[in-house]
Amino acid sequence: MKTLPQSAKSVVDVAMYVRMSTESQKYSIDNQEAAINAYASQHDMAVRFAYRDEGRSGLRIANRKALTSLLLDVQGGQAQFKAVLVYDVSRWGRFQNTDQAAYYDYLCRMHGVEVIYVAESFSNDGSPFAAILKNLKRAMAGEYSRELSVKSKAGQTRLVGLGFSM
C-alpha cells in the first residue's frame, strides 16, 4: 500500500484498487487511476491509499498481492479509509466463480468499507436491481476470461502444429 499526499479540503478518505492483466497493458493502470481520481473529486472523496496489482494479476487471488493486502488491511482493522474505488467489476476480478468476487466485496462491507465501481452504469446501493446487474457483470467478466483462455490455447495449439515453439 502506498500512502498518497493529503489535500487541505475535508473529504471522505478512500483507497483505490487498480490492476492490469498483463505487462503489455502499458496505460491500463494510468487510465483507471485517472477515472478513479475524477470520480473521487466529483464525490468529495480524497484518494489517500493506492493498491496496485501491476503486471500479470490473473484469475487467482494468489497472484493478486495488492488485493490480498487490501483485504488483510480491511479485515485487520488497519484500513484508514471508508471506501475502495475500483474502475469496474472486471478490475475487482474476473474470477471464474462469481461468488469469489462477491465474497471479497462482502468482506469489505462487513468491515465498514464500501466497494464502489466508478465506471459502472449501476449505483452500488444494495438495491435488487444493482445486485442483479453487479452479478451479471461478474459472470460476464469471468466468461470473458474463460473465452479468452480457450482462444489463446487454440492459437498456441495451431502454432505448435505448424512447427513453432511456445
Side-chain angles (χ1 to χ4, degrees):
M1 171 180 63
K2 179 180 175 188
T3 304
L4 303 177
Q6 292 189 0
S7 67
K9 187 177 180 183
S10 177
V11 293
V12 175
D13 289 346
V14 299
M16 74 166 78
Y17 173 72
V18 293
R19 77 173 185 91
M20 58 186 182
S21 303
T22 66
E23 297 87 354
S24 64
Q25 294 176 320
K26 186 175 178 182
Y27 300 108
S28 179
I29 297 278
D30 292 341
N31 293 338
Q32 291 171 61
E33 287 180 348
I36 288 169
N37 283 321
Y39 180 94
S41 175
Q42 294 166 1
H43 292 87
D44 296 324
M45 299 174 176
V47 178
R48 304 266 192 241
F49 305 93
Y51 295 84
R52 293 179 178 91
D53 274 320
E54 300 181 65
R56 237 178 222 294
S57 57
L59 299 175
R60 297 170 359 144
I61 191 72
N63 296 337
R64 311 271 295 281
K65 302 299 182 202
L67 182 58
T68 300
S69 178
L70 184 153
L71 294 171
L72 289 172
D73 287 350
V74 167
Q75 288 178 292
Q78 286 94 20
Q80 299 172 20
F81 46 87
K82 297 292 182 195
V84 178
L85 304 183
V86 183
Y87 182 72
D88 66 16
V89 169
S90 76
R91 296 296 85 196
W92 187 247
R94 289 185 182 143
F95 302 106
Q96 296 301 289
N97 183 335
T98 57
D99 291 341
Q100 187 174 3
Y103 172 72
Y104 299 139
D105 189 316
Y106 176 72
L107 274 178
C108 290
R109 288 181 190 278
M110 192 171 78
H111 289 88
V113 175
E114 185 179 0
V115 178
I116 300 171
Y117 304 102
V118 305
E120 294 293 1
S121 59
F122 62 87
S123 111
N124 210 7
D125 60 5
S127 69
F129 179 73
I132 290 168
L133 237 100
K134 187 168 28 171
N135 283 318
L136 179 61
K137 294 267 191 164
R138 286 179 179 141
M140 289 168 45
E143 181 63 10
Y144 170 79
S145 185
R146 189 196 64 73
E147 287 177 350
L148 189 59
S149 177
V150 168
K151 290 174 187 175
S152 295
K153 182 154 176 56
Q156 290 173 348
T157 300
R158 180 178 176 278
L159 290 175
V160 168
L162 293 172
F164 294 98
S165 64
M166 290 283 114

